[in-house]
Amino acid sequence: MFGPAPTPELFSPSSRSAVAEDWEQLLIRATNVSRSANAGVGIARVLVRAREILMRGDGDEIAAALTERKMGRAFISLWNDEPRMATSTLRTAPLEMLSNSPHRLSRMATAGLLMIHLRYFTRLDHWQPGLLTALSSLITSAVAQLESKPTRRDAIEYVRSHADLVLDPSGPETVARALIRNGRKLEDFLDEAGLPGFDGGDYGEQIRLWYYIQQIHEADPTADHDFLTELTRPSVYKAPVQDGYFGHKILQAMADKVQKPGPAWLDTILTIAKDPRLEHTRDWFEWWKPLPQSCIDRVKSWLSAQDLGLFLAAVEEYGIRSGQEDLQRMFPGRKAFLEGLLGLGLIKETRLILGNQAHQYVHERLGKSLRSDIAMLKQDSQKSIIFVDCGDFHLVEGSHVFKLWVYVGKPAGSLSDRRKASFTPDFLRTVVPSDFHKLNGDSDNYIAISHHGSESGFWQNKAMDFLIHHDIWLPEKQLLDAHTYRNYAVRFGIRRPAKS
């Protein structure tokens, strides 16, 4: 569709091509039809009469008025120049009457209709379902009746040969794909189509938005990109589209990545829609509820990976700062176990519970990009806790002087409900097990394990023994570092899943 060009500058000021000067004059004449159709006073009276007729909405009166050529031009002028008039009176019925009027639409009148289409592109079907199609059909018919001028470069001739790009609902998306593919900018297309200066209407704005989607599809999610900042502007993500906000399209496109994203990518998602695990909030119902569950689950998995990384960093940092050699020795085993669960794809959701000092460390690490949900741990400012939901089982793991709690069954609401924003170590050790027992009805379904014998895999063996007792097998090699795995294999042997 377009030839090669330099890297696109989508948001540079509009460039008006010299070859479009004739069309610009036509736009000016169409916009100011009140000054070009007749004498000023006379056309003013026509516009007053046209406005009154449209506001009354009497079909017979409108049809009768359209027997006069000047009334058709007046209707088009009012719809173009007065958005409120267009909102309240532009409907399929008067368009059909305009199409059936005894007067063929002139080139200037057709240009006026095209201006209406470009200006209100996304609003038409909100005013009346099918209005966009009706207007597009009228424009197509009007263009077909006009004399072809193939040497003339203006919007009328462009619509004659590329109606799908300008008139179809999918036109902006198709144009955006072509712009990205050929390294062009929006203004290049508008100039070529004879539409210079129309980047500010609904149609041009839709091209901008779909341009973002194409950038997202082609971008590396692990890297930072200038366009990510643009996506977090409310004027972009709250722009209306056919089935919601444009932000819904952004979120789906950004979540449609297999590769784990970098902080900037994840921060953009959370800036637009907040944490998808906060299902009780207005933001969740506005942004996440309309999306496919697969999209929500993927972003949750990314946040779980971030939570896990922050927890392990906080544990490691505390071991180093406190000089506790035993905690430092235990760290590789905890790291391998939790990262192994993540690598196996078992982690469905996580929740960080941090003391003041641990929270401060995490905030220093991430700064403004820390937007995920983190609960407060009271009475122990240095401790870090993480809740890890693996579906059939879940864990509560702590940084120091805190056992590994393994539960088989549904998590207690007192632990998983994110409306509860703070905990104490004693609450996690006593109330949560009690609530779990009430919910699942079997005290044999959970165990608390001390982190002793980390290098020999002792505590890991207890955890996996407990899970095997409940018919849950985990591959040891993927949950242990190489040194611990060798010791573990010698001391405990390697289990194999039971054959079904």
Side-chain angles (χ1 to χ4, degrees):
M1 185 166 65
F2 316 116
T7 302
E9 299 175 7
L10 187 58
F11 297 100
S12 62
S14 295
S15 164
R16 293 180 176 265
S17 170
V19 297
E21 289 181 0
D22 289 342
W23 170 239
E24 288 194 56
Q25 294 304 314
L26 185 59
L27 293 184
I28 293 170
R29 286 161 52 208
T31 304
N32 299 288
V33 66
S34 60
R35 292 192 295 273
S36 62
N38 286 297
V41 175
I43 192 62
R45 284 198 291 265
V46 171
L47 288 173
V48 169
R49 180 182 163 213
R51 186 182 292 107
E52 292 173 348
I53 291 171
L54 286 174
M55 291 301 294
R56 282 193 290 270
D58 185 308
D60 291 338
E61 186 179 16
I62 292 173
L66 286 172
T67 60
E68 305 174 53
R69 181 185 295 274
K70 61 186 177 183
M71 291 305 294
R73 292 199 302 266
F75 289 166
I76 293 171
S77 177
L78 288 172
W79 289 329
N80 251 317
D81 297 342
E82 301 181 19
R84 288 186 179 179
M85 182 63 65
T87 301
S88 60
T89 68
L90 180 54
R91 298 294 185 267
T92 58
L95 290 181
E96 184 176 351
M97 295 174 195
L98 192 60
S99 176
N100 295 329
S101 73
H103 307 290
R104 190 183 73 175
L105 290 170
S106 67
R107 198 173 189 91
M108 185 172 69
T110 303
L113 288 172
L114 184 55
M115 289 169 65
I116 293 170
H117 170 85
L118 298 171
R119 181 166 288 140
Y120 307 124
F121 185 79
T122 59
R123 285 171 275 183
L124 294 170
D125 280 346
H126 289 285
W127 297 343
Q128 182 185 17
L131 184 56
L132 177 63
T133 299
L135 180 56
S136 299
S137 298
L138 178 56
I139 293 170
T140 301
S141 174
V143 169
Q145 295 179 53
L146 293 173
E147 178 186 355
S148 177
K149 298 182 179 181
T151 60
R152 187 170 182 172
R153 192 176 184 183
D154 66 14
I156 300 296
E157 296 309 315
Y158 194 85
V159 168
R160 194 188 303 278
S161 57
H162 298 92
D164 58 324
L165 297 181
V166 181
L167 302 180
D168 283 4
S170 61
E173 182 179 1
T174 304
V175 170
R177 290 179 186 274
L179 290 174
I180 289 281
R181 185 171 60 249
N182 294 290
R184 305 300 300 275
K185 57 186 178 182
L186 173 58
E187 287 74 20
D188 293 333
F189 166 73
L190 293 176
D191 278 350
E192 184 167 315
L195 299 168
F198 267 88
D199 54 333
D202 286 4
Y203 176 80
E205 187 62 24
Q206 284 294 300
I207 297 177
R208 292 182 190 277
L209 298 180
W210 284 111
Y211 193 100
Y212 284 132
I213 295 298
Q214 296 310 309
Q215 285 183 303
I216 292 170
H217 285 324
E218 298 187 10
D220 175 3
T222 66
D224 199 352
H225 305 278
D226 290 340
F227 74 85
L228 293 178
T229 302
E230 296 287 341
L231 297 181
T232 59
R233 290 166 47 195
S235 60
V236 173
Y237 69 79
K238 283 201 169 182
V241 293
Q242 192 168 12
D243 50 355
Y245 289 125
F246 187 68
H248 295 124
K249 304 294 184 185
I250 294 173
L251 294 170
Q252 283 190 256
M254 296 190 76
D256 190 27
K257 297 284 184 180
V258 176
Q259 194 174 7
K260 177 186 170 183
W265 196 270
L266 198 53
D267 179 57
T268 300
I269 292 174
L270 296 182
T271 300
I272 293 171
K274 307 301 185 292
D275 195 319
R277 299 171 297 189
L278 297 173
E279 298 184 5
H280 60 285
T281 63
R282 177 183 295 179
D283 287 311
W284 189 88
F285 282 97
E286 181 175 19
W287 293 107
W288 294 108
K289 192 175 188 298
L291 300 184
Q293 188 62 43
S294 59
C295 172
I296 299 171
D297 291 343
R298 181 167 286 132
V299 176
K300 282 184 177 181
S301 72
W302 292 342
L303 290 171
S304 293
Q306 182 189 69
D307 284 353
L308 204 59
L310 292 173
F311 171 76
L312 292 171
V315 173
E316 185 176 31
E317 176 70 11
Y318 176 76
I320 294 172
R321 287 185 179 181
S322 66
Q324 293 188 22
E325 294 183 2
D326 57 338
L327 183 58
Q328 293 177 46
R329 283 197 305 271
M330 287 188 289
F331 178 73
R334 295 185 182 192
K335 185 174 187 290
F337 192 81
L338 292 172
E339 288 184 344
L341 293 174
L342 183 67
L344 290 167
L346 295 176
I347 297 180
K348 310 299 181 187
E349 192 169 329
T350 56
R351 189 178 191 191
L352 276 177
I353 307 170
L354 303 178
N356 278 331
Q357 290 187 27
H359 193 281
Q360 183 178 355
Y361 166 73
V362 167
H363 190 272
E364 290 172 358
R365 186 181 178 93
L366 284 185
K368 292 182 179 180
S369 63
L370 179 60
R371 300 184 189 276
S372 59
D373 176 53
I374 297 178
M376 179 63 67
L377 183 68
K378 297 180 178 179
Q379 300 178 6
D380 195 331
S381 65
Q382 296 178 328
K383 197 183 299 294
S384 304
I385 306 288
I386 189 167
F387 160 57
V388 182
D389 187 355
C390 295
D392 292 333
F393 67 97
H394 58 281
L395 316 173
V396 180
E397 173 69 300
S399 56
H400 59 283
V401 196
F402 195 90
K403 295 178 179 180
L404 169 65
W405 292 77
V406 185
Y407 297 85
V408 174
K410 186 177 181 180
S414 54
L415 177 63
S416 60
D417 188 346
R418 291 183 181 266
R419 285 172 291 190
K420 181 172 176 55
S422 64
F423 299 84
T424 64
D426 186 61
F427 184 92
L428 294 169
R429 294 187 182 107
T430 59
V431 178
V432 169
S434 175
D435 288 350
F436 174 83
H437 174 61
K438 293 175 184 175
L439 179 65
N440 293 275
D442 191 345
S443 59
D444 185 44
N445 278 17
Y446 67 90
I447 186 173
I449 303 170
S450 298
H451 297 86
H452 297 310
S454 183
E455 293 183 354
S456 63
F458 183 78
W459 66 263
Q460 296 95 323
N461 177 66
K462 289 193 70 173
M464 286 184 272
D465 258 354
F466 173 75
L467 291 172
I468 284 176
H469 176 71
H470 291 278
D471 299 320
I472 299 172
W473 174 82
L474 300 177
E476 293 99 327
K477 192 169 186 177
Q478 292 179 253
L479 299 173
L480 305 169
D481 61 82
H483 173 71
T484 303
Y485 180 74
R486 287 193 295 271
N487 294 336
Y488 182 98
V490 171
R491 183 165 184 174
F492 303 108
I494 301 301
R495 303 174 181 84
R496 296 288 180 265
K499 294 182 179 180
S500 56

